[in-house]
Amino acid sequence: MTMPGFAAENPVYLERSERLDGVFNALMEVASELWVLRDRFTVLEELLAERGSVTRRDLDLFQPGPELSARLAADRRAFLERVMEAAAAGGPR
C-alpha cells in the first residue's frame, strides 16, 4: 500500500528544503538523545560488572578510563556515520 500522492517506486515525502531542515534537525536531536542513553547504558554495564550494584550517583560521577573512553568515542563515530549516511542517501535502499 502506498500513501496517496506518492509514487511507490520513488517515494518523496518532503520536497521543500525548509521542511527537510526541520526533519534533519529533529533527527539529530533524537540521535543525540539516543547516544546519551547508549553512553549511559554502557557506563551502567561497566559499573555493574565491576561492582555488582550501582546508584544513580555512581553513574553521574563515573569518569571512564582511557580504554572505555576510546571505545565510546569509536562507537559514537560509527553511530554518527550510520546516521549521516542514512540521511544523505536520500531514498529507499
Side-chain angles (χ1 to χ4, degrees):
M1 179 177 168
T2 61
M3 293 178 58
F6 297 102
E9 66 279 352
N10 187 21
V12 175
Y13 301 105
L14 300 169
E15 292 184 25
R16 295 177 48 193
S17 63
E18 61 271 10
R19 288 188 182 163
L20 288 176
D21 287 345
V23 170
F24 184 76
N25 288 339
L27 169 66
M28 295 312 296
E29 286 294 325
V30 171
S32 177
E33 290 297 320
L34 177 57
W35 180 256
V36 168
L37 291 172
R38 288 181 61 180
D39 182 274
R40 194 161 172 96
F41 192 78
T42 299
V43 168
L44 177 64
E45 289 176 327
E46 290 290 318
L47 287 173
L48 284 172
E50 181 182 303
R51 302 177 187 177
S53 67
V54 178
T55 66
R56 182 173 283 144
R57 181 172 162 76
D58 293 335
L59 283 172
D60 292 339
L61 296 177
F62 181 78
Q63 294 294 315
E67 184 179 312
L68 181 56
S69 290
R71 191 174 95 213
L72 287 169
D75 289 349
R76 183 175 51 249
R77 269 191 304 278
F79 173 70
L80 286 174
E81 284 175 11
R82 288 192 311 272
V83 169
M84 298 304 284
E85 286 173 3
R93 294 181 177 192

